Amino acid sequence: MDKTRRTFLQGISMLAASAIMTPSFGVGFESKKLKVSLVGTGIRGVGFWGRRLVKNYGNILEFVGLCDHNPGRLKYAQDYIGVQCPTFSNFEEMITKTRPDLVIVSTTDSTHHDFIIKGLEMGCDVITEKPLTTDEDKCEQILKAERASDKNLIVGFNYRWSPYATKVKELLMSGTIGEVSSVEFSWYLNTYHGASYFRRWHGQQNFSGSLWVHKATHHFDLINWWLDTEPDEVFAYGALEYYGSNGPFRGDNCRNCGFKAECDFHWDITKEPHLKKLYVDNEKYDGYIRDNCLFRKEIDIYDKMSAQVRYQNGVVLNYNLTTFSPYEGWKVAFNGTKGRIEAWLDLPYMDSKRVSQNELHQLEMQQDGDEELNFEPIIVHKLWQDYEQLEVPMTRKGHGGGDAKLHDQLFKNPGKTDPYNRTAGVRDGAMSILIGIAARKSIESGLPVKINDLTSLKPK
């Protein structure tokens, strides 16, 4: 266990222990709550890191401050999360006045480093939404700040906590297919979810680092964690061939576009009350348009991506990300010395539980309500034997059940031993983004890129 993860969990464990003591008959009484502040009140901040925490952990934590540059969004966030804490436009003022134990960062990706570093310097533990940051220079700044601080940094990788992903980890840890030699991993974003990245700030590399970083950080972190190793070298291809200036027509935004009838991607944000209140009603404060045209010329990220990654233990990963697929889902296969593991989720021709493609991402992001367990297959095929199909119980909501398990570990059971080592520290966050950063550099140069050349991190 690395220093960041160990000491962070110890610190949170002490706070949680003092926050609530529960007698054997199950009635608790409060003595001290974990003081939490949130910077960045977009959809991820107000939901996953806001309302959900208040609803499920309100007896052990309290929000002491919310921060955002948009005053309208701050007011809506306060109401939506369900808190009466002060709001701030200045981050340092918030920390100085409220003295939180923990800062949660869910701002635009390219600004994560500013709030992570300042939070550590001002004496707070920090949880950041993925990705850690967007380029190697900002990553190095974070690494230096974390080393100089006696506080700690956790990256919110929720996919690790899904029961399905954990089952894959368990199979690999137990040597089910021997030593892994290679991995095939493909992720498909459909024309609802995939398109959404190109409507938002994510479509510009200076804000998101491209989908190599913003989205693929999830996928690379899963592979790093599944294989229990770190990347060594990356070679990649990528291009922008579908969205951006490739489109047949464009408008100021989707809701006012003159091509509504012709454009298959037309989307009326005003028909979704939460998004309208969070974004549309507050455009006047900062000019941020949530339903931008997919074909605006300033889009400069890739929409097709393919990479080959060599790991320190010799494993080779072949990875593909598609952003305009007919369906949303993913599949992975591990080839080992004793066999092969195949896993997938939401491939329509492999799944009898049909879900509308425009609802898939909404269900994944949903935090409220209960859902009946589904059983999803994993194929284990050993050499010279017939294959075996395992059935893994999981839900669709909250990123396959991973959101709730991540939060429970961080806030409810922080001292609980996790045999799968799912809590991600700064090194995990760095290694996941460095693959995407290396992929960008490889596309630009036409050459493979060594991970060790990007930051001061050296092989373990």
Side-chain angles (χ1 to χ4, degrees):
M1 183 185 297
D2 63 39
K3 169 252 183 186
T4 296
R5 179 174 179 271
R6 180 179 62 254
T7 54
F8 178 87
L9 293 180
Q10 287 173 347
I12 296 298
S13 179
M14 292 175 64
L15 286 163
S18 66
I20 182 167
M21 299 178 64
T22 307
S24 58
F25 50 86
V27 178
F29 61 91
E30 301 171 8
S31 60
K32 180 184 177 184
K33 291 185 177 183
L34 181 72
K35 295 195 298 181
V36 178
S37 65
L38 171 71
V39 57
T41 57
I43 192 167
R44 187 68 171 163
V46 301
F48 181 67
W49 293 114
R51 185 171 178 164
R52 191 178 192 284
L53 296 191
V54 170
K55 177 182 177 182
N56 294 287
Y57 309 96
N59 60 333
I60 59 175
L61 61 79
E62 64 176 331
F63 278 85
V64 296
L66 303 177
C67 182
D68 199 293
H69 67 272
N70 186 309
R73 194 153 57 236
L74 261 180
K75 179 62 176 72
Y76 176 70
Q78 191 179 39
D79 295 339
Y80 183 82
I81 294 172
V83 293
Q84 297 300 318
C85 64
T87 60
F88 301 85
S89 60
N90 184 284
F91 179 73
E92 293 185 39
E93 180 186 4
M94 178 177 71
I95 302 302
T96 300
K97 289 185 175 180
T98 65
R99 306 311 304 171
D101 304 303
L102 174 67
V103 172
I104 300 174
V105 178
S106 59
T107 58
T108 304
D109 296 350
S110 58
T111 65
H112 282 185
H113 70 296
D114 289 327
F115 301 110
I116 291 170
I117 293 168
K118 185 57 67 174
L120 292 172
E121 290 176 346
M122 296 185 73
C124 305
D125 287 321
V126 179
I127 295 177
T128 183
E129 181 57 51
K130 63 80 189 169
L132 179 64
T133 187
T134 54
D135 64 46
E136 68 275 26
D137 295 330
K138 293 174 182 176
C139 182
E140 185 63 30
Q141 292 175 45
I142 292 172
L143 293 171
K144 289 180 179 178
E146 194 271 344
R147 291 172 189 143
S149 173
D150 62 353
K151 296 300 177 178
N152 310 281
L153 174 60
I154 292 291
V155 184
F157 283 124
N158 47 356
Y159 279 172
R160 291 182 175 205
W161 292 86
S162 156
Y164 192 80
T166 300
K167 186 62 178 180
V168 173
K169 175 71 170 178
E170 178 186 313
L171 292 169
L172 294 171
M173 286 176 65
S174 63
T176 302
I177 58 169
E179 295 294 324
V180 177
S181 175
S182 64
V183 184
E184 308 150 25
F185 195 11
S186 294
W187 202 285
Y188 310 98
L189 296 170
N190 65 19
T191 48
Y192 298 93
H193 185 197
S196 74
Y197 292 111
F198 295 83
R199 299 185 202 277
R200 297 178 277 167
W201 52 260
H202 307 71
Q204 293 174 253
Q205 186 167 299
N206 62 314
F207 294 129
S208 67
S210 80
L211 293 182
W212 276 120
V213 175
H214 176 82
K215 184 62 180 175
T217 186
H218 262 320
H219 314 154
F220 296 138
D221 177 69
L222 277 175
I223 295 294
N224 297 349
W225 171 66
W226 275 331
L227 296 177
D228 192 25
T229 187
E230 294 181 346
D232 173 51
E233 187 174 86
V234 179
F235 182 79
Y237 291 103
L240 176 62
E241 295 181 344
Y242 191 80
Y243 298 108
S245 58
N246 299 289
F249 32 66
R250 56 191 51 84
D252 291 336
N253 56 53
C254 226
R255 86 199 82 135
N256 298 321
C257 185
F259 299 97
K260 295 178 182 179
E262 297 98 321
C263 183
D264 292 328
F265 287 97
H266 173 64
W267 171 58
D268 189 350
I269 190 174
T270 64
K271 293 182 178 179
E272 299 192 26
H274 179 43
L275 293 180
K276 180 180 181 298
K277 293 175 182 177
L278 189 62
Y279 294 112
V280 177
D281 292 351
N282 299 306
E283 292 172 356
K284 58 191 175 188
Y285 296 110
D286 61 5
Y288 175 57
I289 308 298
R290 178 61 177 76
D291 61 333
N292 262 314
C293 181
L294 295 168
F295 305 118
R296 64 192 188 282
K297 294 182 179 180
E298 60 262 38
I299 291 174
D300 62 356
I301 65 172
Y302 306 107
D303 57 23
K304 78 169 186 182
M305 288 151 278
S306 179
Q308 189 169 58
V309 183
R310 184 180 66 201
Y311 280 86
Q312 291 176 11
N313 64 356
V315 174
V316 173
L317 163 68
N318 285 289
Y319 170 84
N320 294 280
L321 176 59
T322 300
T323 62
F324 47 93
S325 170
Y327 57 83
E328 179 99 354
W330 59 270
K331 60 183 178 182
V332 66
F334 300 85
N335 300 300
T337 55
K338 295 182 180 179
R340 176 178 168 95
I341 293 172
E342 296 182 12
W344 65 90
L345 285 178
D346 296 324
L347 303 189
Y349 47 85
M350 304 286 280
D351 191 349
S352 60
K353 299 174 289 299
R354 292 299 181 94
V355 178
S356 170
Q357 285 294 314
N358 68 340
E359 295 177 349
L360 270 171
H361 184 57
Q362 295 176 28
L363 286 171
E364 185 181 59
M365 296 291 287
Q366 190 169 335
Q367 303 295 331
D368 298 327
D370 298 323
E371 183 183 20
E372 182 180 351
L373 284 176
N374 295 319
F375 290 86
E376 301 291 350
I378 294 176
I379 302 297
V380 177
H381 201 157
K382 296 186 178 181
L383 300 181
W384 302 292
Q385 298 180 30
D386 198 2
Y387 71 87
E388 177 185 7
Q389 181 167 309
L390 309 179
E391 298 291 337
V392 182
M394 61 171 289
T395 65
R396 186 180 298 278
K397 290 180 181 177
H399 293 91
D403 289 355
K405 291 182 181 298
L406 169 61
H407 281 170
D408 278 353
Q409 179 71 16
L410 288 175
F411 301 110
K412 189 176 179 181
N413 305 307
K416 185 178 180 181
T417 300
D418 176 22
Y420 305 110
N421 196 25
R422 285 171 288 192
T423 302
V426 65
R427 188 177 182 102
D428 301 305
M431 285 299 166
S432 68
I433 63 167
L434 289 175
I435 297 176
I437 292 166
R440 284 198 327 244
K441 290 182 171 294
S442 177
I443 293 168
E444 293 164 2
S445 68
L447 300 171
V449 175
K450 299 284 287 186
I451 295 295
N452 292 339
D453 292 340
L454 299 177
T455 68
S456 60
L457 287 175
K458 300 305 176 188
K460 287 185 177 179

